[in-house]
């Protein structure tokens, strides 16, 4: 089975840049999506097709994907960005999620 | 604005079948531009894709659940459903339905999610 690995936690100071990585075998050959999930809420798509932002997602969210690693970058991180973030890709028509990263803004 | 709403029993006994329905409003489930997915999340844990169905009726299932899962469409009611047989406590989770965008290769992504429904497997 295909695995995606994320760091369990990332901490960032308000106004700074947060980077969350997602690693998988030749992940750069696939497209990665990123989802934000706040406590008690359903996931929200923040990045799709590696680097595209859905309507309504702030410009401070960006993404990249190359080699074995996809990266979600949040520039000028705000307190409201504190959440769990999940990467996701498709392998042989099966959806695979990373284990999730808890982003703490402190 | 399309919305998805999960419904079904919140408690299922071990060895029985878990059945959930996702009602889609604000858009047609028959559109070839989308697929319809089920995802679950045990308390305090990560997300797991269960499977998806296209408007054609074609399905893809997570290999780890494939022997127990059926996803189906009811276009007359604009709903899609999940059946998971022989459940155990390990199937206790919040179950989400989601709409996916059909794209070539691995370009697909899920852009609209329901609020989720909690299912507990216990006698």
């Amino acid at each position: 089975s295909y695995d995606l690995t994320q760091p369990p936690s990332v901490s960032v100071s308000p106004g700074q840049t947060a980077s969350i990585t997602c690693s998988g075998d030749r992940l750069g050959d696939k497209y990665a999506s990123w989802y934000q999930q706040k406590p008690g809420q359903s996931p929200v798509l923040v990045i799709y097709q590696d680097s595209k932002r859905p309507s309504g997602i702030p410009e401070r969210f960006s993404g990249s994907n190359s080699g074995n690693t996809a990266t979600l970058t949040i520039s000028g991180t705000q307190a409201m960005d504190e959440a769990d973030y999940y990467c996701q890709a498709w392998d042989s028509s099966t959806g695979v999620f990373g284990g999730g990263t808890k982003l703490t803004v402190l | 604005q399309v919305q998805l709403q999960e419904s079904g029993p919140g408690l299922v006994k071990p060895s029985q079948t878990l059945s959930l329905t996702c009602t889609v409003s604000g858009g047609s489930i028959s559109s070839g531009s989308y697929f319809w997915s089920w995802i679950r999340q045990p308390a305090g844990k990560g997300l797991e894709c269960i499977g998806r169905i296209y408007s054609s009726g074609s399905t893809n299932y997570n290999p780890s659940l494939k022997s127990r899962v059926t996803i189906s469409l009811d276009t007359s009611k604009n709903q899609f459903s999940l059946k998971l047989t022989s459940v155990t406590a390990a199937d206790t989770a919040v179950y989400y339905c989601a709409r996916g965008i059909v794209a070539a290769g691995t370009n697909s992504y899920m852009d609209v999610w329901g609020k989720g429904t909690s299912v507990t497997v216990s006698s």
Side-chain angles (χ1 to χ4, degrees), chain B residues 14-36:
Chain B
S15 80
Q16 294 192 342
T17 296
L18 179 160
S19 295
L20 297 174
T21 296
C22 182
T23 301
V24 179
S25 58
S28 173
I29 201 170
S30 299
S31 170
S33 298
Y34 308 114
F35 61 86
W36 308 93

Side-chain angles (χ1 to χ4, degrees), chain A residues 29-33 35 37 40-45 47-49 84 86 88 90-99, chain B residues 35 37 39 41 45-49 52 60-63 96 103-111 113-116:
Chain A
D29 291 344
K30 309 177 190 294
Y31 280 99
S33 301
Y35 298 87
Q37 186 180 35
Q41 298 184 18
S42 52
V44 173
L45 178 71
I47 293 289
Y48 67 98
Q49 292 178 357
D84 293 328
Y86 294 89
Q88 187 262 321
W90 297 91
D91 180 69
S92 301
S93 297
T94 299
V96 179
F97 284 98
Chain B
F35 61 86
S37 289
I39 303 99
Q41 184 174 37
K45 297 188 178 181
L47 301 166
E48 179 183 35
C49 280
R52 62 180 173 179
N60 300 125
Y61 298 136
N62 185 324
Y96 295 99
T106 61
N107 298 8
S108 301
Y109 53 95
M110 293 170 284
D111 67 334
W113 293 59
K115 295 186 184 301

Side-chain angles (χ1 to χ4, degrees), chain A residues 15 26-27 29-30 37 40 49 57 62 66 71 82 85 87 89 93-94 96 99 103 105-106:
Chain A
R26 302 180 67 174
L27 179 57
D29 291 344
K30 309 177 190 294
Q37 186 180 35
Q49 292 178 357
I57 300 301
S62 63
S66 179
T71 303
E82 186 163 287
Y85 290 85
C87 61
S93 297
T94 299
V96 179
L103 177 67
V105 182
L106 41 67

Side-chain angles (χ1 to χ4, degrees), chain A residues 42-66:
Chain A
S42 52
V44 173
L45 178 71
V46 294
I47 293 289
Y48 67 98
Q49 292 178 357
D50 293 340
S51 59
K52 298 178 180 178
R53 277 180 295 102
S55 174
I57 300 301
E59 290 185 8
R60 63 180 180 273
F61 288 87
S62 63
S64 63
N65 185 15
S66 179

Side-chain angles (χ1 to χ4, degrees), chain B residues 30-111:
Chain B
S30 299
S31 170
S33 298
Y34 308 114
F35 61 86
W36 308 93
S37 289
W38 286 99
I39 303 99
R40 69 180 183 179
Q41 184 174 37
K45 297 188 178 181
L47 301 166
E48 179 183 35
C49 280
I50 299 171
R52 62 180 173 179
I53 188 165
Y54 292 82
S55 59
S56 64
S58 174
T59 54
N60 300 125
Y61 298 136
N62 185 324
S64 68
L65 298 169
K66 186 175 184 177
S67 64
R68 299 194 292 131
V69 173
T70 302
I71 297 175
S72 59
L73 287 174
D74 186 339
T75 55
S76 66
K77 296 181 180 178
N78 221 37
Q79 296 174 335
F80 64 105
S81 298
L82 168 70
K83 290 190 186 300
L84 182 65
T85 63
S86 305
V87 297
T88 70
D91 296 309
T92 294
V94 173
Y95 285 75
Y96 295 99
C97 59
R99 184 184 79 170
I101 302 297
V102 173
T106 61
N107 298 8
S108 301
Y109 53 95
M110 293 170 284
D111 67 334

